[in-house]
Amino acid sequence: MTLTLPSPASPLKIGTRGSPLALAQAYETRDRLARAFELEPTAFDIVVIKTTGDNRAMIDADRPLKEIGNKGLFTKEIEEALTSGGIDLAVHSMKDMPTEQPEGLMLDCYLPREDVRDAFVSPQIRAIADLPEGAVVGTSSLRRRAQLLHRRPDLQVVEFRGNVQTRLQKLHDGVASATFLAMAGLRRLNMAEEVPATPIAPEDMLPAVAQGAIGIERRSHDTTAAAMLEAIHHAETSLRLAAERAFLAALDGSCETPIAALADLSGGTLQLRGQILRPDGSEALADQQSCAIEDGAELGRRMGEALRARAGEGFFSH
């Protein structure tokens, strides 16, 4: 098959959210494709699409994500543009992605995964353990809320939304003493040095499923997009995410379920750690197992089903 490459006259349209981090991820995708096929950046168009989760009024009001919508909150409008042909590729933060694809779309390309860790962010305080009793911490993540309250039930946790700049301003304004961000986002924005952030080891706060990973979605029948994406696909990230996302799917994870998982590869072995928590942090269940790399997705499914059985009905109820 002769591959018809994009050009300035007929550019490849890459869809993304409009936040600084989302744009950085889209430009990274563009640049990797341009290098792989020796193309100029002008052979690509970055198309910004506003999603339900980007509603400014809801962000400023710190509306909880569960009140706005659950699965697809940051992806629905982008996927609609992809299906209709308004864009050719969609770049996503994989931790935002539902485990099921809309009909006609494929998600089979991942870029090399960044730092998976969460970051504790505070102008004055360096770690969770150093927070004074009763301190106010802001986060929009049910996972982080539950993990924090499991360790420190004395703390007050408030809803806290927005991009890096918005959250730092809220800290400056005294809305909370601390918050959390993903180290991957800070590194991709080249802000890891200027933001008062301390990385948290996965042993202390297990990350979200697929944290730090970028996924690129295409139309299933688009053979040109498939061939181009194959050139930049990172197989190791794919294997890790297959295990983590199978774990999530077995638990029917959504924005209302505090679930964490992390897969690591060593030689021919995959190690998977998983955790589920009650939303109030009062109970946490965890498991850790290893298997052959090629069996990662099956291990994730089994681990998820086993934890769901241990938890019983109502475990995720608010």
Side-chain angles (χ1 to χ4, degrees):
M1 182 188 79
T2 302
L3 188 61
T4 303
L5 295 172
S7 67
S10 181
L12 187 81
K13 295 181 174 63
I14 300 174
T16 177
R17 296 170 61 202
S19 71
L21 176 56
L23 287 169
Q25 295 178 163
Y27 284 123
E28 179 180 344
T29 302
R30 180 200 67 183
D31 293 346
R32 286 179 180 272
L33 285 169
R35 286 196 300 269
F37 293 94
E38 299 182 341
L39 298 171
E40 294 297 321
T42 50
F44 304 87
D45 275 349
I46 304 296
V47 180
V48 174
I49 298 169
K50 185 175 181 179
T51 70
T52 304
D54 295 318
N55 186 304
R56 187 73 237 179
M58 293 180 178
I59 292 172
D60 290 341
D62 283 325
R63 285 278 302 281
L65 298 180
K66 64 181 180 178
E67 292 182 10
I68 307 168
N70 292 317
K71 295 182 179 181
L73 186 62
F74 296 107
T75 60
K76 179 174 176 286
E77 289 81 1
I78 297 175
E79 290 180 328
E80 287 173 350
L82 185 59
T83 299
S84 69
I87 57 175
D88 301 303
L89 302 176
V91 180
H92 301 286
S93 292
M94 281 305 300
K95 70 175 182 178
D96 293 335
M97 290 299 286
T99 54
E100 295 183 5
Q101 292 300 110
E103 187 175 354
L105 299 184
M106 287 281 290
L107 182 57
D108 58 359
C109 176
Y110 306 107
L111 301 189
R113 196 173 193 176
E114 248 292 359
D115 193 329
V116 301
R117 296 174 296 177
D118 287 303
F120 177 82
V121 181
S122 175
Q124 293 90 23
I125 303 166
R126 296 276 71 84
I128 295 171
D130 298 332
L131 286 164
E133 186 172 349
V136 177
V137 179
T139 180
S140 62
S141 163
L142 280 178
R143 171 189 62 87
R144 289 169 176 157
R145 174 191 291 265
Q147 289 172 325
L148 181 65
L149 290 174
H150 186 66
R151 290 179 57 180
R152 291 285 307 272
D154 60 289
L155 298 175
Q156 299 181 56
V157 184
V158 298
E159 195 69 26
F160 214 68
R161 293 195 58 214
N163 61 32
V164 175
Q165 293 80 1
T166 300
R167 297 188 197 200
L168 290 176
Q169 185 60 48
K170 289 178 179 179
L171 290 181
H172 179 76
D173 293 341
V175 176
S177 298
T179 188
F180 299 96
L181 293 167
M183 282 301 300
L186 292 175
R187 290 170 63 93
R188 288 196 173 107
L189 289 168
N190 295 314
M191 297 181 70
E193 299 300 324
E194 61 184 271
V195 172
T198 305
I200 306 172
E203 292 74 21
D204 294 327
M205 183 173 272
L206 198 64
V209 167
Q211 185 155 301
I214 297 172
I216 307 165
E217 194 175 23
R218 60 175 174 87
R219 289 181 291 277
S220 303
H221 60 77
D222 190 338
T223 54
T224 297
M228 292 187 70
L229 292 178
E230 186 178 357
I232 63 169
H233 176 60
H234 192 248
E236 179 179 318
T237 296
S238 178
L239 290 165
R240 296 172 70 188
L241 264 56
E244 294 174 26
R245 284 169 59 79
F247 176 78
L248 180 66
L251 289 157
D252 191 30
S254 72
C255 291
E256 295 194 70
T257 49
I259 297 170
L262 180 62
D264 288 300
L265 306 183
S266 178
T269 300
L270 179 143
Q271 180 195 71
L272 179 63
R273 288 175 279 179
Q275 181 186 48
I276 60 175
L277 302 99
R278 290 190 184 273
D280 64 2
S282 59
E283 185 178 1
L285 300 175
D287 196 3
Q288 177 175 316
Q289 295 185 41
S290 298
C291 67
I293 286 177
E294 61 271 19
D295 297 329
E298 175 61 20
L299 175 62
R301 183 189 64 78
R302 290 201 318 268
M303 276 182 58
E305 290 177 350
L307 279 182
R308 187 176 62 186
R310 282 173 59 191
E313 292 295 324
F315 185 83
F316 292 123
S317 299
H318 290 267

